[in-house]
Amino acid sequence: MSTIVEEFNAYREKMNSRILEDNNKVIKRIFNLDTNAFTEGALDVKTKELLGLVASAVLRCDDCVRYHLETCHKEGLSKDEVVEALSIATLVGGTIVIPHLRRAYEFWDALEAKTN
């Protein structure tokens, strides 16, 4: 049985490939910019991922939240660090963020279950 993590990654990979096969210069540049923005610079990758997570939650993009949660998990961030960032997102975004917070917790739990 597939987990929400595997389903998300399979769909994301499938559709990113589909989008990129059209070879649209603007879309390819946006994808490249996104990739490069989250590499180490003046800020480390962990900090950038937490910033991306907060922005994604405030903007209420579940796909983006999942992407940043998985990267935070891969980068070794603790649940406490992630929850603290999500608490800031909920404060900034307001109660409308709570449904996305629920799904973020569900996804983080799935990430932890997958590694245990």
Side-chain angles (χ1 to χ4, degrees), residues 4-5 7-16 19 31 34 38 49 52-53 55-72 99-101 103-104 107 111:
I4 61 173
V5 174
E7 289 171 5
F8 171 73
N9 285 326
Y11 179 77
R12 185 174 179 275
E13 184 178 327
K14 173 185 163 188
M15 293 313 300
N16 282 353
I19 290 165
F31 273 53
D34 181 67
F38 286 91
E49 286 303 326
L53 176 62
S56 297
V58 170
L59 292 169
R60 301 185 310 268
C61 176
D62 285 334
D63 277 10
C64 301
V65 167
R66 286 178 173 191
Y67 173 81
H68 291 292
L69 282 172
E70 186 164 18
T71 307
C72 285
H100 305 277
L101 181 63
R103 289 187 284 276
F107 198 76
L111 288 167

Side-chain angles (χ1 to χ4, degrees), residues 5-33:
V5 174
E6 292 162 339
E7 289 171 5
F8 171 73
N9 285 326
Y11 179 77
R12 185 174 179 275
E13 184 178 327
K14 173 185 163 188
M15 293 313 300
N16 282 353
S17 293
R18 171 64 188 97
I19 290 165
L20 292 172
E21 76 184 19
D22 280 342
N23 205 29
N24 179 282
K25 185 179 2 177
V26 174
I27 291 173
K28 287 177 85 170
R29 286 183 176 175
I30 290 170
F31 273 53
N32 184 271
L33 180 62

Side-chain angles (χ1 to χ4, degrees), residues 82-95:
V82 168
V83 168
E84 194 164 317
L86 288 170
S87 71
I88 298 298
T90 306
L91 173 68
V92 171
T95 57

Side-chain angles (χ1 to χ4, degrees), residues 73 110-116:
H73 190 264
L111 288 167
E112 287 189 332
K114 189 175 176 189
T115 57
N116 291 335

Side-chain angles (χ1 to χ4, degrees), residues 71-84:
T71 307
C72 285
H73 190 264
K74 287 177 182 174
E75 288 294 321
L77 284 146
S78 70
K79 182 177 181 179
D80 288 342
E81 291 170 312
V82 168
V83 168
E84 194 164 317

